[in-house]
Amino acid sequence: MKADRAVVIKGPAGHVGGGESEGNTVGAGDLAAQVEQCYLNVATALAGVGGTFDEVAKLNVHVVDWTPDKMPQLLEGISRAAAKLGTTPVPPATLLGVAALDVPEHLVEVEATAVLD
């Protein structure tokens, strides 16, 4: 398979783009809400470069203070994003537990690597 370009996109943790809510954290304290927003942000960024989640080759998901009991919240957020996007955004992924992110209210960050034709 030959790809014309690869892109790396970071889904800002819990931020809504555009309008008066731009830069505001979504779902303070709600991991599922922030996961959902991260995936939606990645999808928006992909659309901006002519791509879709179908072209994502790899995801890195960084979760603050990760423990296995947070998995249901993570999966709930992914499911809600998938329903809104009309796709199943689950390419190969690495889940990383981190001590903190750049903003104290952020619980998760999603980074996607896509290969676009």
Side-chain angles (χ1 to χ4, degrees):
M1 177 172 122
K2 179 186 174 290
D4 291 332
R5 60 190 168 134
V7 294
V8 177
I9 295 171
K10 182 185 109 177
H15 278 243
V16 173
E20 64 184 58
S21 62
E22 185 171 353
N24 293 336
T25 299
V26 171
D30 185 342
L31 179 61
Q34 288 193 19
V35 168
E36 176 185 3
Q37 190 62 52
C38 284
Y39 275 73
L40 295 175
N41 290 347
V42 167
T44 298
L46 284 166
V49 295
T52 68
F53 249 104
D54 293 334
E55 295 163 299
V56 173
K58 173 83 167 85
L59 289 175
N60 290 321
V61 181
H62 302 86
V63 180
V64 174
D65 296 327
W66 173 257
T67 57
D69 65 314
K70 293 182 179 181
M71 185 62 83
Q73 295 171 14
L74 179 76
L75 295 175
E76 178 185 338
I78 293 170
S79 293
R80 292 190 324 214
K84 288 182 178 178
L85 296 170
T87 188
T88 305
V90 262
T94 299
L95 176 61
L96 302 165
V98 297
L101 293 170
D102 61 335
V103 176
E105 294 82 20
H106 292 175
L107 303 176
V108 64
E109 180 175 284
V110 177
E111 178 184 79
T113 301
V115 180
L116 308 179
D117 291 328

